[in-house]
Amino acid sequence: MSTPANFLTEEMRQQAIGVESPPVTFEVEKGHILRFAEAIGDPNPQYTDEAEARRGRNGGLVAPPTFLRSVRGVNLELPFELSFSRRLDGGSDWEYFHPVRPGDRITAVARVAEMTERSGRLGTMVFMTTITTYSNQFEEVVATQTNTLIAY
Amino acid sequence: MADQVYWEDVTEGMELPSIVKEPTTRQLVQYAGASGDFYEIHYDKDFAIGNQLDGPILHGALKSAFLGQLVTDWIGPLGTLKRLQCQYRGMDAPGNPITARGTVTRKYEEDGLRLVDCEIRLENAEGQNTTPGYATVILPSRNG
């Protein structure tokens, strides 16, 4: 597999920045929170034990901090193909504003904030920074996630 | 609640109680199912090797979940996580235990909230920090 030595032009970068995904709506299910908490190995009763969670500051069950990663199908249609076959997750930055509870309907919208190219140990790599905004059924922003995708 | 940490109890430089995670390929499959991230580098050895890796690696988002647990365990049921940031600098593979650690870097009040910043990290068995990051939390006060 060959990757282009220099892929990203300034024009492409400008085209990519600001691209926004169509909104995706996702229903938060109690059973999904339970499966997610089990998968990350976190036995915190705030996620699974209603009686215990009621005594916490949220007054009921909530989702773990990274649960909104399970909102799938948020697609960013770039005006060009990111012609690299491999992907790595570079990092994430969450900000939280309201708890996410079972029964919430969360709408996610992602936007491209930055795109840069670097040469590294794996050859030419494109770093795409996206900001995903998650809102609930009351139109409150519950969280934002800034994520860096590395394509190489 | 006996385990609740209060803002007054915190001092800059103090360590958060560390947690040890022992991820397995089985857990990565479980996480793939729960999160919907089925990228094969996380559970298919041949696929991972074909992608210039030595074998399956942990999902970055699973590593941030471990750091989330580190912080939420510490702040207890009355604390609030405001920010959780980390970078996936080094890869972690199933079968290798990792330790989540954190250190309080700043304690302050802002807009009537009692806040604490922490530096957080995941260390592999060799003691390398594969996943540096930081968190900001709101803690309850003993003075209400």
Side-chain angles (χ1 to χ4, degrees), chain B residues 39-56:
Chain B
Y39 192 26
E40 291 87 344
I41 60 169
H42 303 302
Y43 53 84
D44 181 332
K45 189 175 183 179
D46 293 338
F47 186 93
I49 289 169
N51 274 266
Q52 301 170 309
L53 301 169
D54 296 332

Side-chain angles (χ1 to χ4, degrees), chain A residues 32 39 41 90 92-94 96, chain B residues 21 27 34 82-84 86 88:
Chain A
H32 190 185
S92 79
D93 186 355
W94 289 93
Y96 300 104
Chain B
K21 303 298 274 188
Q27 182 176 24
K82 290 301 290 174
R83 189 154 187 191
L84 180 70
C86 65
Y88 312 124

